[in-house]
Coordinates of all heavy atoms in Angstrom, one line a residue:
S1 N -5.6 -1.7 -8.4 CA -5.3 -2.8 -7.6 C -3.9 -3.5 -7.9 O -3.4 -3.2 -9.0 CB -6.4 -3.9 -7.6 OG -6.4 -4.4 -8.9
F2 N -3.4 -4.3 -7.0 CA -2.3 -5.1 -7.4 C -2.4 -6.5 -6.6 O -3.1 -6.5 -5.6 CB -0.9 -4.5 -7.1 CG -0.6 -4.1 -5.7 CD1 -0.1 -5.1 -4.9 CD2 -0.7 -2.8 -5.3 CE1 0.3 -4.8 -3.6 CE2 -0.3 -2.5 -4.0 CZ 0.2 -3.5 -3.1
T3 N -1.7 -7.5 -7.2 CA -1.7 -8.8 -6.5 C -0.2 -9.1 -6.4 O 0.6 -9.0 -7.4 CB -2.4 -9.8 -7.4 OG1 -3.7 -9.4 -7.6 CG2 -2.3 -11.2 -6.8
M4 N 0.2 -9.5 -5.2 CA 1.6 -9.7 -4.9 C 1.8 -11.1 -4.4 O 1.2 -11.5 -3.4 CB 2.1 -8.7 -3.8 CG 3.5 -8.8 -3.4 SD 4.0 -7.6 -2.2 CE 3.2 -8.1 -0.7
P5 N 2.7 -11.9 -5.0 CA 2.9 -13.3 -4.5 C 3.8 -13.2 -3.3 O 4.8 -12.4 -3.2 CB 3.7 -13.9 -5.7 CG 4.3 -12.8 -6.4 CD 3.4 -11.6 -6.2
V6 N 3.5 -14.2 -2.4 CA 4.3 -14.3 -1.1 C 4.5 -15.8 -0.9 O 3.6 -16.5 -0.9 CB 3.6 -13.6 0.1 CG1 4.5 -13.8 1.3 CG2 3.4 -12.1 -0.2
R7 N 5.8 -16.2 -0.6 CA 6.1 -17.6 -0.3 C 5.9 -17.9 1.2 O 6.0 -17.0 2.1 CB 7.5 -17.9 -0.6 CG 7.8 -17.8 -2.1 CD 9.3 -18.3 -2.4 NE 9.7 -17.7 -3.6 CZ 10.5 -16.7 -3.7 NH1 11.0 -16.1 -2.7 NH2 10.9 -16.2 -4.9
T8 N 5.7 -19.1 1.5 CA 5.6 -19.6 2.9 C 6.8 -19.1 3.7 O 7.9 -19.2 3.3 CB 5.6 -21.1 3.0 OG1 4.4 -21.6 2.2 CG2 5.4 -21.6 4.4
G9 N 6.5 -18.5 4.9 CA 7.6 -18.0 5.8 C 8.1 -16.6 5.5 O 8.8 -16.0 6.3
E10 N 7.7 -16.1 4.4 CA 8.2 -14.7 4.1 C 7.3 -13.7 4.9 O 6.2 -14.0 5.2 CB 8.0 -14.4 2.6 CG 9.1 -15.0 1.7 CD 9.0 -14.5 0.3 OE1 7.9 -14.3 -0.3 OE2 10.1 -14.2 -0.3
Y11 N 7.9 -12.6 5.1 CA 7.2 -11.5 5.8 C 6.7 -10.5 4.7 O 7.4 -10.4 3.6 CB 8.2 -10.7 6.7 CG 8.6 -11.5 7.9 CD1 9.7 -12.4 7.8 CD2 7.9 -11.5 9.1 CE1 10.1 -13.2 8.8 CE2 8.3 -12.3 10.2 CZ 9.4 -13.1 10.0 OH 9.8 -13.9 11.1
W12 N 5.6 -9.8 4.9 CA 5.1 -8.9 4.0 C 4.4 -7.7 4.6 O 3.9 -7.8 5.8 CB 4.2 -9.6 2.9 CG 3.0 -10.2 3.5 CD1 2.8 -11.5 4.0 CD2 1.7 -9.6 3.7 NE1 1.6 -11.7 4.4 CE2 0.8 -10.6 4.3 CE3 1.1 -8.4 3.4 CZ2 -0.5 -10.3 4.5 CZ3 -0.2 -8.1 3.7 CH2 -1.0 -9.1 4.2
R13 N 4.3 -6.6 3.9 CA 3.6 -5.4 4.4 C 3.1 -4.6 3.3 O 3.7 -4.5 2.2 CB 4.6 -4.6 5.2 CG 4.0 -3.2 5.7 CD 5.1 -2.4 6.4 NE 6.1 -2.0 5.4 CZ 7.4 -1.9 5.7 NH1 7.8 -2.2 6.9 NH2 8.2 -1.6 4.8
V14 N 1.9 -4.0 3.5 CA 1.4 -3.0 2.5 C 1.4 -1.7 3.2 O 0.9 -1.5 4.3 CB -0.1 -3.4 2.1 CG1 -0.7 -2.3 1.3 CG2 -0.1 -4.7 1.4
S15 N 2.0 -0.7 2.6 CA 2.1 0.6 3.2 C 1.4 1.6 2.2 O 1.4 1.4 1.0 CB 3.5 1.1 3.5 OG 4.3 1.0 2.3
T16 N 0.8 2.7 2.7 CA 0.2 3.7 1.9 C 0.6 5.1 2.2 O 1.2 5.3 3.3 CB -1.4 3.6 2.1 OG1 -1.7 3.9 3.5 CG2 -1.9 2.3 1.7
S17 N 0.5 5.9 1.3 CA 0.7 7.4 1.5 C -0.4 8.1 0.8 O -0.8 7.9 -0.3 CB 2.1 7.8 0.9 OG 2.1 7.6 -0.5
Q18 N -1.0 9.0 1.6 CA -2.2 9.8 1.2 C -1.7 11.2 0.8 O -1.0 11.9 1.6 CB -3.2 9.9 2.3 CG -4.5 10.6 1.9 CD -5.4 9.7 1.2 OE1 -5.6 8.6 1.5 NE2 -6.0 10.3 0.1
D19 N -1.9 11.6 -0.4 CA -1.6 13.0 -0.8 C -2.8 13.8 -1.0 O -3.9 13.4 -0.9 CB -0.9 12.9 -2.2 CG 0.4 12.1 -2.2 OD1 1.1 12.1 -1.1 OD2 0.7 11.4 -3.2
C20 N -2.6 15.1 -1.2 CA -3.7 16.1 -1.4 C -4.0 16.0 -2.9 O -3.2 15.6 -3.7 CB -3.3 17.5 -1.0 SG -3.0 17.6 0.7
D21 N -5.1 16.5 -3.3 CA -5.5 16.7 -4.7 C -4.7 17.8 -5.3 O -3.9 18.5 -4.6 CB -7.0 16.8 -4.9 CG -7.5 18.1 -4.4 OD1 -6.8 19.0 -3.9 OD2 -8.8 18.3 -4.5
A22 N -4.9 18.1 -6.6 CA -4.2 19.1 -7.3 C -4.4 20.5 -6.7 O -3.6 21.4 -6.8 CB -4.5 19.1 -8.8
S23 N -5.5 20.7 -6.0 CA -5.8 22.0 -5.4 C -5.3 22.1 -3.9 O -5.5 23.1 -3.3 CB -7.4 22.2 -5.4 OG -7.9 22.1 -6.7
G24 N -4.7 21.0 -3.4 CA -4.1 21.0 -2.1 C -5.1 20.6 -1.0 O -4.8 20.7 0.2
N25 N -6.3 20.0 -1.4 CA -7.2 19.6 -0.5 C -7.0 18.1 -0.1 O -6.8 17.3 -1.0 CB -8.7 19.7 -1.0 CG -9.0 21.1 -1.4 OD1 -8.8 22.0 -0.6 ND2 -9.4 21.3 -2.6
P26 N -7.0 17.7 1.2 CA -6.8 16.3 1.5 C -8.1 15.5 1.2 O -9.2 16.0 1.2 CB -6.6 16.4 3.1 CG -7.3 17.6 3.5 CD -7.2 18.6 2.3
G27 N -7.9 14.2 1.0 CA -9.0 13.3 0.7 C -8.8 12.0 1.5 O -7.8 11.9 2.2
Q28 N -9.7 11.1 1.3 CA -9.5 9.8 2.0 C -10.0 8.7 1.1 O -11.1 8.3 1.1 CB -10.3 9.8 3.3 CG -10.1 8.6 4.2 CD -8.6 8.5 4.6 OE1 -8.0 9.5 5.0 NE2 -8.1 7.3 4.6
A29 N -9.1 8.2 0.3 CA -9.4 7.1 -0.6 C -9.5 5.8 0.2 O -8.9 5.7 1.3 CB -8.3 7.0 -1.7

């Protein structure tokens, strides 16, 4: 996990990227 401080009026976004496991199989965390 992470906690990110944001001030009043600021814009924010969380983006993700999903990779395959070491065997090349996709997953869904």
